mmCIF file with all atom_site columns, all heavy atoms in Angstrom:
data_model
loop_
_atom_site.group_PDB
_atom_site.id
_atom_site.type_symbol
_atom_site.label_atom_id
_atom_site.label_alt_id
_atom_site.label_comp_id
_atom_site.label_asym_id
_atom_site.label_entity_id
_atom_site.label_seq_id
_atom_site.pdbx_PDB_ins_code
_atom_site.Cartn_x
_atom_site.Cartn_y
_atom_site.Cartn_z
_atom_site.occupancy
_atom_site.B_iso_or_equiv
_atom_site.pdbx_formal_charge
_atom_site.auth_seq_id
_atom_site.auth_comp_id
_atom_site.auth_asym_id
_atom_site.auth_atom_id
_atom_site.pdbx_PDB_model_num
ATOM 1   N N   . ALA B 1 86  ? 14.942  13.845 15.314 1.00 0.00 ? 261 ALA B N   1
ATOM 2   C CA  . ALA B 1 86  ? 13.623  14.054 14.717 1.00 0.00 ? 261 ALA B CA  1
ATOM 3   C C   . ALA B 1 86  ? 12.793  14.879 15.694 1.00 0.00 ? 261 ALA B C   1
ATOM 4   O O   . ALA B 1 86  ? 13.238  15.179 16.807 1.00 0.00 ? 261 ALA B O   1
ATOM 5   C CB  . ALA B 1 86  ? 12.934  12.723 14.446 1.00 0.00 ? 261 ALA B CB  1
ATOM 6   N N   . VAL B 1 87  ? 11.587  15.213 15.283 1.00 0.00 ? 262 VAL B N   1
ATOM 7   C CA  . VAL B 1 87  ? 10.627  15.822 16.210 1.00 0.00 ? 262 VAL B CA  1
ATOM 8   C C   . VAL B 1 87  ? 9.723   14.709 16.729 1.00 0.00 ? 262 VAL B C   1
ATOM 9   O O   . VAL B 1 87  ? 9.221   13.890 15.951 1.00 0.00 ? 262 VAL B O   1
ATOM 10  C CB  . VAL B 1 87  ? 9.782   16.915 15.520 1.00 0.00 ? 262 VAL B CB  1
ATOM 11  C CG1 . VAL B 1 87  ? 8.734   17.464 16.487 1.00 0.00 ? 262 VAL B CG1 1
ATOM 12  C CG2 . VAL B 1 87  ? 10.682  18.038 15.021 1.00 0.00 ? 262 VAL B CG2 1
ATOM 13  N N   . TYR B 1 88  ? 9.529   14.672 18.029 1.00 0.00 ? 263 TYR B N   1
ATOM 14  C CA  . TYR B 1 88  ? 8.706   13.649 18.668 1.00 0.00 ? 263 TYR B CA  1
ATOM 15  C C   . TYR B 1 88  ? 7.430   14.293 19.215 1.00 0.00 ? 263 TYR B C   1
ATOM 16  O O   . TYR B 1 88  ? 7.482   15.263 19.960 1.00 0.00 ? 263 TYR B O   1
ATOM 17  C CB  . TYR B 1 88  ? 9.475   12.961 19.790 1.00 0.00 ? 263 TYR B CB  1
ATOM 18  C CG  . TYR B 1 88  ? 10.582  12.087 19.261 1.00 0.00 ? 263 TYR B CG  1
ATOM 19  C CD1 . TYR B 1 88  ? 11.788  12.636 18.848 1.00 0.00 ? 263 TYR B CD1 1
ATOM 20  C CD2 . TYR B 1 88  ? 10.413  10.711 19.152 1.00 0.00 ? 263 TYR B CD2 1
ATOM 21  C CE1 . TYR B 1 88  ? 12.803  11.846 18.330 1.00 0.00 ? 263 TYR B CE1 1
ATOM 22  C CE2 . TYR B 1 88  ? 11.421  9.901  18.650 1.00 0.00 ? 263 TYR B CE2 1
ATOM 23  C CZ  . TYR B 1 88  ? 12.613  10.485 18.237 1.00 0.00 ? 263 TYR B CZ  1
ATOM 24  O OH  . TYR B 1 88  ? 13.608  9.697  17.723 1.00 0.00 ? 263 TYR B OH  1
ATOM 25  N N   . PHE B 1 89  ? 6.308   13.721 18.811 1.00 0.00 ? 264 PHE B N   1
ATOM 26  C CA  . PHE B 1 89  ? 5.015   14.205 19.279 1.00 0.00 ? 264 PHE B CA  1
ATOM 27  C C   . PHE B 1 89  ? 4.405   13.184 20.230 1.00 0.00 ? 264 PHE B C   1
ATOM 28  O O   . PHE B 1 89  ? 4.351   11.989 19.933 1.00 0.00 ? 264 PHE B O   1
ATOM 29  C CB  . PHE B 1 89  ? 4.047   14.419 18.120 1.00 0.00 ? 264 PHE B CB  1
ATOM 30  C CG  . PHE B 1 89  ? 4.378   15.578 17.226 1.00 0.00 ? 264 PHE B CG  1
ATOM 31  C CD1 . PHE B 1 89  ? 5.080   15.392 16.043 1.00 0.00 ? 264 PHE B CD1 1
ATOM 32  C CD2 . PHE B 1 89  ? 3.981   16.860 17.565 1.00 0.00 ? 264 PHE B CD2 1
ATOM 33  C CE1 . PHE B 1 89  ? 5.382   16.457 15.215 1.00 0.00 ? 264 PHE B CE1 1
ATOM 34  C CE2 . PHE B 1 89  ? 4.281   17.936 16.743 1.00 0.00 ? 264 PHE B CE2 1
ATOM 35  C CZ  . PHE B 1 89  ? 4.983   17.737 15.572 1.00 0.00 ? 264 PHE B CZ  1
ATOM 36  N N   . CYS B 1 90  ? 3.907   13.675 21.327 1.00 0.00 ? 265 CYS B N   1
ATOM 37  C CA  . CYS B 1 90  ? 3.124   12.890 22.260 1.00 0.00 ? 265 CYS B CA  1
ATOM 38  C C   . CYS B 1 90  ? 1.654   13.095 21.887 1.00 0.00 ? 265 CYS B C   1
ATOM 39  O O   . CYS B 1 90  ? 1.262   14.208 21.491 1.00 0.00 ? 265 CYS B O   1
ATOM 40  C CB  . CYS B 1 90  ? 3.416   13.411 23.664 1.00 0.00 ? 265 CYS B CB  1
ATOM 41  S SG  . CYS B 1 90  ? 2.356   12.821 24.963 1.00 0.00 ? 265 CYS B SG  1
ATOM 42  N N   . ALA B 1 91  ? 0.841   12.051 21.977 1.00 0.00 ? 266 ALA B N   1
ATOM 43  C CA  . ALA B 1 91  ? -0.582  12.170 21.669 1.00 0.00 ? 266 ALA B CA  1
ATOM 44  C C   . ALA B 1 91  ? -1.385  11.344 22.662 1.00 0.00 ? 266 ALA B C   1
ATOM 45  O O   . ALA B 1 91  ? -0.880  10.359 23.213 1.00 0.00 ? 266 ALA B O   1
ATOM 46  C CB  . ALA B 1 91  ? -0.875  11.708 20.241 1.00 0.00 ? 266 ALA B CB  1
ATOM 47  N N   . ALA B 1 92  ? -2.617  11.738 22.882 1.00 0.00 ? 267 ALA B N   1
ATOM 48  C CA  . ALA B 1 92  ? -3.463  11.049 23.853 1.00 0.00 ? 267 ALA B CA  1
ATOM 49  C C   . ALA B 1 92  ? -4.906  11.050 23.383 1.00 0.00 ? 267 ALA B C   1
ATOM 50  O O   . ALA B 1 92  ? -5.337  11.947 22.654 1.00 0.00 ? 267 ALA B O   1
ATOM 51  C CB  . ALA B 1 92  ? -3.356  11.729 25.220 1.00 0.00 ? 267 ALA B CB  1
ATOM 52  N N   . SER B 1 93  ? -5.645  10.032 23.827 1.00 0.00 ? 268 SER B N   1
ATOM 53  C CA  . SER B 1 93  ? -7.079  9.973  23.514 1.00 0.00 ? 268 SER B CA  1
ATOM 54  C C   . SER B 1 93  ? -7.766  9.003  24.466 1.00 0.00 ? 268 SER B C   1
ATOM 55  O O   . SER B 1 93  ? -7.109  8.208  25.142 1.00 0.00 ? 268 SER B O   1
ATOM 56  C CB  . SER B 1 93  ? -7.300  9.511  22.075 1.00 0.00 ? 268 SER B CB  1
ATOM 57  O OG  . SER B 1 93  ? -7.205  8.108  21.979 1.00 0.00 ? 268 SER B OG  1
ATOM 58  N N   . PRO B 1 94  ? -9.100  9.073  24.516 1.00 0.00 ? 269 PRO B N   1
ATOM 59  C CA  . PRO B 1 94  ? -9.834  7.978  25.151 1.00 0.00 ? 269 PRO B CA  1
ATOM 60  C C   . PRO B 1 94  ? -9.756  6.762  24.231 1.00 0.00 ? 269 PRO B C   1
ATOM 61  O O   . PRO B 1 94  ? -10.079 6.855  23.055 1.00 0.00 ? 269 PRO B O   1
ATOM 62  C CB  . PRO B 1 94  ? -11.267 8.513  25.234 1.00 0.00 ? 269 PRO B CB  1
ATOM 63  C CG  . PRO B 1 94  ? -11.150 9.989  24.990 1.00 0.00 ? 269 PRO B CG  1
ATOM 64  C CD  . PRO B 1 94  ? -9.967  10.162 24.097 1.00 0.00 ? 269 PRO B CD  1
ATOM 65  N N   . ILE B 1 95  ? -9.292  5.618  24.730 1.00 0.00 ? 270 ILE B N   1
ATOM 66  C CA  . ILE B 1 95  ? -8.977  4.482  23.871 1.00 0.00 ? 270 ILE B CA  1
ATOM 67  C C   . ILE B 1 95  ? -10.198 3.996  23.104 1.00 0.00 ? 270 ILE B C   1
ATOM 68  O O   . ILE B 1 95  ? -10.089 3.532  21.974 1.00 0.00 ? 270 ILE B O   1
ATOM 69  C CB  . ILE B 1 95  ? -8.362  3.325  24.692 1.00 0.00 ? 270 ILE B CB  1
ATOM 70  C CG1 . ILE B 1 95  ? -7.764  2.255  23.774 1.00 0.00 ? 270 ILE B CG1 1
ATOM 71  C CG2 . ILE B 1 95  ? -9.395  2.709  25.635 1.00 0.00 ? 270 ILE B CG2 1
ATOM 72  C CD1 . ILE B 1 95  ? -6.920  1.224  24.499 1.00 0.00 ? 270 ILE B CD1 1
ATOM 73  N N   . ILE B 1 96  ? -11.365 4.157  23.681 1.00 0.00 ? 271 ILE B N   1
ATOM 74  C CA  . ILE B 1 96  ? -12.552 3.640  23.029 1.00 0.00 ? 271 ILE B CA  1
ATOM 75  C C   . ILE B 1 96  ? -12.847 4.396  21.739 1.00 0.00 ? 271 ILE B C   1
ATOM 76  O O   . ILE B 1 96  ? -13.539 3.909  20.857 1.00 0.00 ? 271 ILE B O   1
ATOM 77  C CB  . ILE B 1 96  ? -13.766 3.688  23.989 1.00 0.00 ? 271 ILE B CB  1
ATOM 78  C CG1 . ILE B 1 96  ? -14.896 2.800  23.463 1.00 0.00 ? 271 ILE B CG1 1
ATOM 79  C CG2 . ILE B 1 96  ? -14.247 5.125  24.202 1.00 0.00 ? 271 ILE B CG2 1
ATOM 80  C CD1 . ILE B 1 96  ? -15.932 2.474  24.488 1.00 0.00 ? 271 ILE B CD1 1
ATOM 81  N N   . GLN B 1 97  ? -12.284 5.587  21.622 1.00 0.00 ? 272 GLN B N   1
ATOM 82  C CA  . GLN B 1 97  ? -12.532 6.387  20.438 1.00 0.00 ? 272 GLN B CA  1
ATOM 83  C C   . GLN B 1 97  ? -11.429 6.255  19.400 1.00 0.00 ? 272 GLN B C   1
ATOM 84  O O   . GLN B 1 97  ? -11.420 6.975  18.416 1.00 0.00 ? 272 GLN B O   1
ATOM 85  C CB  . GLN B 1 97  ? -12.743 7.849  20.826 1.00 0.00 ? 272 GLN B CB  1
ATOM 86  C CG  . GLN B 1 97  ? -13.995 8.044  21.675 1.00 0.00 ? 272 GLN B CG  1
ATOM 87  C CD  . GLN B 1 97  ? -14.322 9.490  21.919 1.00 0.00 ? 272 GLN B CD  1
ATOM 88  O OE1 . GLN B 1 97  ? -13.673 10.141 22.710 1.00 0.00 ? 272 GLN B OE1 1
ATOM 89  N NE2 . GLN B 1 97  ? -15.322 10.003 21.250 1.00 0.00 ? 272 GLN B NE2 1
ATOM 90  N N   . GLY B 1 98  ? -10.490 5.360  19.652 1.00 0.00 ? 273 GLY B N   1
ATOM 91  C CA  . GLY B 1 98  ? -9.465  5.091  18.664 1.00 0.00 ? 273 GLY B CA  1
ATOM 92  C C   . GLY B 1 98  ? -8.699  6.336  18.303 1.00 0.00 ? 273 GLY B C   1
ATOM 93  O O   . GLY B 1 98  ? -8.323  7.129  19.153 1.00 0.00 ? 273 GLY B O   1
ATOM 94  N N   . ALA B 1 99  ? -8.519  6.534  16.996 1.00 0.00 ? 274 ALA B N   1
ATOM 95  C CA  . ALA B 1 99  ? -7.743  7.675  16.542 1.00 0.00 ? 274 ALA B CA  1
ATOM 96  C C   . ALA B 1 99  ? -8.590  8.931  16.417 1.00 0.00 ? 274 ALA B C   1
ATOM 97  O O   . ALA B 1 99  ? -8.081  9.988  16.074 1.00 0.00 ? 274 ALA B O   1
ATOM 98  C CB  . ALA B 1 99  ? -7.100  7.350  15.193 1.00 0.00 ? 274 ALA B CB  1
ATOM 99  N N   . GLN B 1 100 ? -9.886  8.808  16.717 1.00 0.00 ? 275 GLN B N   1
ATOM 100 C CA  . GLN B 1 100 ? -10.776 9.912  16.374 1.00 0.00 ? 275 GLN B CA  1
ATOM 101 C C   . GLN B 1 100 ? -10.676 11.110 17.299 1.00 0.00 ? 275 GLN B C   1
ATOM 102 O O   . GLN B 1 100 ? -11.158 12.171 16.986 1.00 0.00 ? 275 GLN B O   1
ATOM 103 C CB  . GLN B 1 100 ? -12.210 9.392  16.330 1.00 0.00 ? 275 GLN B CB  1
ATOM 104 C CG  . GLN B 1 100 ? -12.393 8.359  15.241 1.00 0.00 ? 275 GLN B CG  1
ATOM 105 C CD  . GLN B 1 100 ? -13.818 7.892  15.100 1.00 0.00 ? 275 GLN B CD  1
ATOM 106 O OE1 . GLN B 1 100 ? -14.689 8.323  15.832 1.00 0.00 ? 275 GLN B OE1 1
ATOM 107 N NE2 . GLN B 1 100 ? -14.057 7.003  14.161 1.00 0.00 ? 275 GLN B NE2 1
ATOM 108 N N   . LYS B 1 101 ? -10.090 10.911 18.450 1.00 0.00 ? 276 LYS B N   1
ATOM 109 C CA  . LYS B 1 101 ? -9.991  12.033 19.368 1.00 0.00 ? 276 LYS B CA  1
ATOM 110 C C   . LYS B 1 101 ? -8.549  12.226 19.826 1.00 0.00 ? 276 LYS B C   1
ATOM 111 O O   . LYS B 1 101 ? -8.314  12.649 20.949 1.00 0.00 ? 276 LYS B O   1
ATOM 112 C CB  . LYS B 1 101 ? -10.894 11.801 20.585 1.00 0.00 ? 276 LYS B CB  1
ATOM 113 C CG  . LYS B 1 101 ? -12.353 11.964 20.287 1.00 0.00 ? 276 LYS B CG  1
ATOM 114 C CD  . LYS B 1 101 ? -12.704 13.417 20.053 1.00 0.00 ? 276 LYS B CD  1
ATOM 115 C CE  . LYS B 1 101 ? -14.207 13.604 19.903 1.00 0.00 ? 276 LYS B CE  1
ATOM 116 N NZ  . LYS B 1 101 ? -14.552 15.024 19.648 1.00 0.00 ? 276 LYS B NZ  1
ATOM 117 N N   . LEU B 1 102 ? -7.595  11.910 18.945 1.00 0.00 ? 277 LEU B N   1
ATOM 118 C CA  . LEU B 1 102 ? -6.194  12.097 19.299 1.00 0.00 ? 277 LEU B CA  1
ATOM 119 C C   . LEU B 1 102 ? -5.883  13.571 19.480 1.00 0.00 ? 277 LEU B C   1
ATOM 120 O O   . LEU B 1 102 ? -6.179  14.385 18.594 1.00 0.00 ? 277 LEU B O   1
ATOM 121 C CB  . LEU B 1 102 ? -5.283  11.534 18.208 1.00 0.00 ? 277 LEU B CB  1
ATOM 122 C CG  . LEU B 1 102 ? -4.881  10.069 18.291 1.00 0.00 ? 277 LEU B CG  1
ATOM 123 C CD1 . LEU B 1 102 ? -3.981  9.722  17.122 1.00 0.00 ? 277 LEU B CD1 1
ATOM 124 C CD2 . LEU B 1 102 ? -4.182  9.753  19.592 1.00 0.00 ? 277 LEU B CD2 1
ATOM 125 N N   . VAL B 1 103 ? -5.278  13.904 20.601 1.00 0.00 ? 278 VAL B N   1
ATOM 126 C CA  . VAL B 1 103 ? -4.820  15.268 20.860 1.00 0.00 ? 278 VAL B CA  1
ATOM 127 C C   . VAL B 1 103 ? -3.306  15.218 20.946 1.00 0.00 ? 278 VAL B C   1
ATOM 128 O O   . VAL B 1 103 ? -2.747  14.423 21.712 1.00 0.00 ? 278 VAL B O   1
ATOM 129 C CB  . VAL B 1 103 ? -5.419  15.821 22.169 1.00 0.00 ? 278 VAL B CB  1
ATOM 130 C CG1 . VAL B 1 103 ? -4.892  17.233 22.428 1.00 0.00 ? 278 VAL B CG1 1
ATOM 131 C CG2 . VAL B 1 103 ? -6.933  15.822 22.100 1.00 0.00 ? 278 VAL B CG2 1
ATOM 132 N N   . PHE B 1 104 ? -2.651  16.067 20.183 1.00 0.00 ? 279 PHE B N   1
ATOM 133 C CA  . PHE B 1 104 ? -1.196  16.063 20.107 1.00 0.00 ? 279 PHE B CA  1
ATOM 134 C C   . PHE B 1 104 ? -0.592  17.192 20.915 1.00 0.00 ? 279 PHE B C   1
ATOM 135 O O   . PHE B 1 104 ? -1.190  18.277 21.063 1.00 0.00 ? 279 PHE B O   1
ATOM 136 C CB  . PHE B 1 104 ? -0.744  16.223 18.656 1.00 0.00 ? 279 PHE B CB  1
ATOM 137 C CG  . PHE B 1 104 ? -0.896  14.984 17.824 1.00 0.00 ? 279 PHE B CG  1
ATOM 138 C CD1 . PHE B 1 104 ? -2.100  14.676 17.233 1.00 0.00 ? 279 PHE B CD1 1
ATOM 139 C CD2 . PHE B 1 104 ? 0.177   14.120 17.632 1.00 0.00 ? 279 PHE B CD2 1
ATOM 140 C CE1 . PHE B 1 104 ? -2.250  13.527 16.466 1.00 0.00 ? 279 PHE B CE1 1
ATOM 141 C CE2 . PHE B 1 104 ? 0.036   12.975 16.858 1.00 0.00 ? 279 PHE B CE2 1
ATOM 142 C CZ  . PHE B 1 104 ? -1.174  12.682 16.282 1.00 0.00 ? 279 PHE B CZ  1
ATOM 143 N N   . GLY B 1 105 ? 0.608   16.954 21.408 1.00 0.00 ? 280 GLY B N   1
ATOM 144 C CA  . GLY B 1 105 ? 1.403   18.017 22.002 1.00 0.00 ? 280 GLY B CA  1
ATOM 145 C C   . GLY B 1 105 ? 2.107   18.812 20.914 1.00 0.00 ? 280 GLY B C   1
ATOM 146 O O   . GLY B 1 105 ? 1.948   18.543 19.715 1.00 0.00 ? 280 GLY B O   1
ATOM 147 N N   . GLN B 1 106 ? 2.903   19.798 21.346 1.00 0.00 ? 281 GLN B N   1
ATOM 148 C CA  . GLN B 1 106 ? 3.547   20.702 20.389 1.00 0.00 ? 281 GLN B CA  1
ATOM 149 C C   . GLN B 1 106 ? 4.783   20.093 19.754 1.00 0.00 ? 281 GLN B C   1
ATOM 150 O O   . GLN B 1 106 ? 5.289   20.606 18.750 1.00 0.00 ? 281 GLN B O   1
ATOM 151 C CB  . GLN B 1 106 ? 3.939   22.024 21.067 1.00 0.00 ? 281 GLN B CB  1
ATOM 152 C CG  . GLN B 1 106 ? 2.807   22.750 21.757 1.00 0.00 ? 281 GLN B CG  1
ATOM 153 C CD  . GLN B 1 106 ? 2.782   22.419 23.231 1.00 0.00 ? 281 GLN B CD  1
ATOM 154 O OE1 . GLN B 1 106 ? 2.820   21.266 23.639 1.00 0.00 ? 281 GLN B OE1 1
ATOM 155 N NE2 . GLN B 1 106 ? 2.704   23.464 24.040 1.00 0.00 ? 281 GLN B NE2 1
ATOM 156 N N   . GLY B 1 107 ? 5.285   19.015 20.337 1.00 0.00 ? 282 GLY B N   1
ATOM 157 C CA  . GLY B 1 107 ? 6.462   18.356 19.785 1.00 0.00 ? 282 GLY B CA  1
ATOM 158 C C   . GLY B 1 107 ? 7.737   18.776 20.482 1.00 0.00 ? 282 GLY B C   1
ATOM 159 O O   . GLY B 1 107 ? 7.856   19.894 21.007 1.00 0.00 ? 282 GLY B O   1
#
Side-chain angles (χ1 to χ4, degrees):
Chain B
V262 176
Y263 290 79
F264 290 97
C265 169
S268 81
I270 192 169
I271 196 163
Q272 295 187 285
Q275 296 184 359
K276 287 289 186 181
L277 272 180
V278 179
F279 284 84
Q281 305 96 310

